Amino acid sequence: VTLTQISIAEKTLKIQVLKPNLLDVLKGGENLRAESERLVKDARKAEAQGRDIIVQLVNSKGVLLKYQEFGNTLGLTHQETAGAALLFLGKISNEIIQNCRITGLILIGGDTAMNVMNALGAHGIRAKEEALPGIPFGTILGGRLNGLPTITKAGGFGEQGTLIAVMKYMKKKISGFPY
C-alpha cells in the first residue's frame, strides 16, 4: 500500500523521493558516509527547488530481497538487516533536518516513527486531531524539534490517494509555521 501511495504522490505533487542505497548503508564506513552526504545534498537541492522530500528505504520487494540477501552475506538476520535500515533512516532524517528547513513531518509506519523520533531526541507526539480517520496529527514532544507538526500513518493503511490527502492536510496546518 505505502509503495503505491508514494508512487502516486511522486507523480502528482512536487516531491523529491530520496532512495538510499541500502547496500552502501550495510557496508558501512566510507560507503555509508558517502551515501549520507549524497542524500543530504539531494535534500538540499530539492529544498532549493521548493520540493517536499520523502525518504523511501525500499521501492519494491525486489530491492528489499536484494538488501536482505546482502545482509545474509554479512551474517545478519532479516530482522537485523531491517533494524540497520531503520536506524539509518532515523540518522539520515536527523541529518536532513539539520541541513534543511523542515516545517512538518509525516512518518509512515510505527518502526519508522520510533527510529526517527529517537534520532531527533523526541519522546513522543501530542495528538491533537485526525488528519483523516485513523491518521493522527499532532506535535513532537521533546528534543530540538519540540512542537513540530507531525502526522503518523500506519504503513499498510489507507487508499491509493491517502498520502496525497495527508500531505495536503499538513500543508494547510503548517502555513506560516516558524521552523
Side-chain angles (χ1 to χ4, degrees):
V1 172
T2 300
L3 297 178
T4 301
Q5 291 172 345
I6 291 173
S7 177
I8 291 170
E10 183 178 21
K11 292 172 186 167
T12 307
L13 303 174
K14 198 173 179 182
I15 295 173
Q16 176 67 48
V17 178
L18 303 178
K19 300 171 184 170
N21 181 332
L22 294 178
L23 300 181
D24 284 341
V25 170
L26 278 182
K27 290 175 188 174
E30 177 59 29
N31 293 351
L32 175 60
R33 187 191 62 72
E35 184 60 8
S36 296
E37 287 178 4
R38 179 189 70 82
L39 291 167
V40 169
K41 179 182 173 187
D42 289 351
R44 291 185 72 153
K45 181 178 176 185
E47 178 190 28
Q49 296 170 344
R51 300 172 77 82
D52 291 323
I53 300 164
I54 293 177
V55 179
Q56 181 181 32
L57 288 179
V58 295
N59 60 355
S60 72
K61 290 183 180 182
V63 170
L64 176 61
L65 290 174
K66 184 177 177 182
Y67 178 62
Q68 289 174 333
E69 288 170 7
F70 186 72
N72 286 342
T73 67
L74 299 175
L76 301 174
T77 65
H78 286 188
Q79 186 174 5
E80 290 168 331
T81 303
L86 288 166
L87 184 62
F88 176 74
L89 178 61
K91 289 179 180 179
I92 197 62
S93 296
N94 190 36
E95 288 182 39
I96 289 169
I97 288 166
Q98 288 176 359
N99 286 279
C100 296
R101 181 180 178 272
I102 302 297
T103 56
L105 288 177
I106 298 172
L107 302 170
I108 301 173
D111 290 336
T112 295
M114 288 190 331
N115 278 277
V116 171
M117 296 295 287
N118 287 338
L120 297 174
H123 55 80
I125 298 171
R126 175 175 285 121
K128 295 188 173 196
E129 59 195 53
E130 287 185 315
L132 293 174
I135 301 176
F137 167 83
T139 55
I140 289 179
L141 294 172
R144 63 185 178 76
L145 295 180
N146 187 57
L148 184 74
T150 303
I151 293 173
T152 57
K153 185 187 90 58
F157 185 77
E159 304 299 321
Q160 289 184 353
T162 297
L163 182 57
I164 292 171
V166 166
M167 292 180 78
K168 288 180 178 180
Y169 177 91
M170 178 66 87
K171 290 274 191 195
K172 288 179 186 173
K173 295 303 269 188
I174 63 173
S175 59
F177 197 76
Y179 277 94

